[in-house]
Amino acid sequence: MSDRIWNFNPGPATLPLSVLEKAKEEIPNYQNTGMAVMELSHRSKEYAAIQNDAKSLMIELFQIPNNYKVLFLQGGASLQFTMAPMNLLTQGKAADYIITGSWSKKALKEAKIIGTANVAGSTEDTNFNRIPKQGDLKLDPDAVYCHITSNNTIAGTQYKTFPQTGNVTIIADMSSDILSRKINFAKFGLIYAGAQKNLGPSGVTVVIIRDDLVEACRQDIPIILQYKTHVDNDSFYNTPPTYSVYLVKLVLEWVKSLGGLAAIEKRNREKADLLYGTIDDNPDFFKGATEKESRSFMNVTFRLPSEDLEAKMISDAKAAGFGGLKGHRSVGGIRVSMYNAMEPQGIQELTEFMKDFARKNG
Ligand SMILES: *Cc1c(COP(=O)(O)O)cnc(C)c1O
């Protein structure tokens, strides 16, 4: 496997090598069924065990309280942008949205099609290079929920503490930092995440919803779009994305083998310290694209002295075995996406490459 690169793609993203090897080994004949997982009936006991294990591991590792349900849905985080307001934004009510990047804007756009959605805060004036301060938020105490994006994959910012919203429950798009750190569930009524950054491959979306929100959901919308449908059927209302769920299960087993969430959180912090440290130690060459207190531990964005040097760094890096470093087209520069599965050694080697590149080109 020495031909694998250090893959910093923002999503779909790198997966643990041990997970890929295990999946490969199990492909022709999963546990003596004579079939691959993708050939199993979703009604078989073997597949039911896979999905149940994935759910139990999610609950165990993320320490999800028992008044929440864990669902495996399809349609990506993008479907959740509309499914959440469809279910919860009832007539006569309003929802708050905090806008910290392109994904929050998309979520807001969908909510506005469904009902009344207000912007309770935005950092668009500085091109989303920061998370708004509590004092800058104009929160509606009667909002039905407040929607946030916990980690901004494109801009490279992340909430370090979540907004104080009083009695208003938070809905969070955690697509790019779910299971990367401990969170206090008490603040959240609904959390959703496409799997392809921190949990596995694309094709499955994890939704974690509190029981009282399930009960409050509208039941006059299409059946497949009701959270209650999926809760009542334990995510088997229609055929689940079986192979994606299987890979999520393998990734969660891998997280557990590393020592669980506390170990993952420590590992992510160490990777971030190393990479941001390298940026800050070379201020004439590397310039962080975000404010220090808002820096994401998952997506690190920075600029070089010129666009030509950025292009050179991306191509030299590629030749040296580091892929996926080009910043999003709306931001430019360099973006290092380093989700849970990125090995510390990958960051170690990348920072050596960066120091060398700065020395030669500075
Ligand atoms: C990638 C991403 C999305 C989009 O996810 P899809 O699965 O493509 O719908 C939404 N929100 C955030 C924060 C993301 O990183």
Side-chain angles (χ1 to χ4, degrees):
M1 287 282 180
S2 58
D3 51 350
R4 277 177 64 79
I5 64 161
W6 291 118
N7 173 3
F8 299 99
N9 279 338
T14 197
L15 289 166
L17 182 56
S18 61
V19 164
L20 298 175
E21 282 170 343
K22 171 106 174 153
K24 178 184 169 194
E25 180 193 310
E26 292 189 321
I27 273 189
N29 184 358
Y30 176 73
Q31 296 191 354
N32 292 320
T33 54
M35 287 177 267
V37 170
M38 61 278 248
E39 299 172 298
L40 290 174
S41 164
H42 65 295
R43 304 288 176 197
S44 65
K45 66 177 192 318
E46 289 86 1
Y47 180 71
I50 291 171
Q51 191 158 310
N52 274 327
D53 285 355
K55 190 170 77 175
S56 314
L57 281 162
M58 195 68 204
I59 292 167
E60 176 190 337
L61 293 166
F62 212 15
Q63 291 163 31
I64 302 173
N66 58 17
N67 58 327
Y68 290 77
K69 297 288 185 288
V70 177
L71 305 173
F72 297 108
L73 306 183
Q74 298 180 61
S78 300
L79 180 61
Q80 295 308 307
F81 293 164
T82 184
M83 204 164 146
M86 265 187 160
N87 277 272
L88 296 163
L89 187 50
T90 39
Q91 255 205 328
K93 299 263 191 182
D96 274 343
Y97 278 72
I98 302 178
I99 307 302
T100 50
S102 332
W103 296 117
S104 321
K105 278 174 78 172
K106 282 194 168 174
L108 172 69
K109 211 169 167 183
E110 293 283 11
K112 282 189 159 166
I113 294 173
I114 310 292
T116 309
N118 299 314
V119 174
S122 171
T123 53
E124 191 160 16
D125 60 335
T126 56
N127 204 20
F128 300 123
N129 73 338
R130 67 192 208 280
I131 296 293
K133 299 223 160 44
Q134 180 73 30
D136 295 334
L137 301 176
K138 289 190 184 62
L139 295 163
D140 169 7
D142 296 319
V144 62
Y145 61 78
C146 175
H147 182 282
I148 66 164
T149 314
S150 61
N151 182 76
N152 298 281
T153 324
I154 295 173
T157 63
Q158 184 177 29
Y159 283 88
K160 294 298 145 70
T161 54
F162 293 105
Q164 302 291 336
T165 53
N167 291 327
V168 176
T169 198
I170 296 178
I171 293 185
D173 174 2
M174 290 197 187
S175 291
S176 51
D177 69 348
I178 191 166
L179 212 71
S180 69
R181 55 175 170 173
K182 281 205 186 93
I183 62 152
N184 172 10
F185 268 87
K187 286 179 162 291
F188 300 97
L190 174 62
I191 290 168
Y192 61 87
Q196 68 270 27
K197 279 102 184 196
N198 252 322
L199 294 176
S202 60
V204 60
T205 311
V206 172
V207 171
I208 305 167
I209 183 167
R210 210 173 55 211
D211 291 343
D212 58 298
L213 267 74
V214 177
E215 290 313 312
C217 282
R218 283 175 60 167
Q219 292 183 34
D220 57 349
I221 56 174
I223 292 161
I224 193 161
L225 296 176
Q226 296 179 27
Y227 288 117
K228 197 168 182 331
T229 301
H230 299 289
V231 168
D232 289 348
N233 291 280
D234 198 15
S235 307
F236 280 99
Y237 173 70
N238 64 322
T239 315
T242 54
Y243 202 68
S244 296
V245 172
Y246 161 73
L247 286 173
V248 166
K249 185 197 91 138
L250 295 185
V251 169
L252 295 174
E253 285 171 349
W254 169 82
V255 170
K256 191 172 172 175
S257 75
L258 285 189
L261 207 49
I264 277 282
E265 185 168 354
K266 178 166 175 281
R267 185 175 128 117
N268 286 333
R269 177 175 297 273
E270 286 166 359
K271 289 189 291 184
D273 285 348
L274 183 57
L275 184 45
Y276 284 116
T278 303
I279 291 168
D280 293 342
D281 285 348
N282 296 273
D284 297 333
F285 199 75
F286 299 118
K287 206 173 171 56
T290 59
E291 285 191 359
K292 279 192 181 173
E293 56 277 24
S294 301
R295 284 173 161 179
S296 167
F297 285 8
M298 300 277 101
N299 309 93
V300 177
T301 50
F302 56 96
R303 306 299 310 239
L304 268 54
S306 72
E307 287 187 12
D308 285 347
L309 277 172
E310 288 166 354
K312 181 168 167 34
M313 181 178 145
I314 290 162
S315 76
D316 285 10
K318 189 157 189 238
F322 306 99
L325 292 172
K326 196 170 171 11
H328 189 269
R329 58 192 182 280
S330 66
V331 181
I334 311 287
R335 170 172 53 171
V336 181
S337 297
M338 43 178 203
Y339 305 113
N340 288 350
M342 173 52 64
E343 290 296 327
Q345 192 193 340
I347 302 303
Q348 183 70 47
E349 290 183 19
L350 178 69
T351 52
E352 289 307 321
F353 168 85
M354 284 167 60
K355 283 188 262 183
D356 191 50
F357 187 84
R359 224 169 6 245
K360 286 183 184 146
N361 296 280

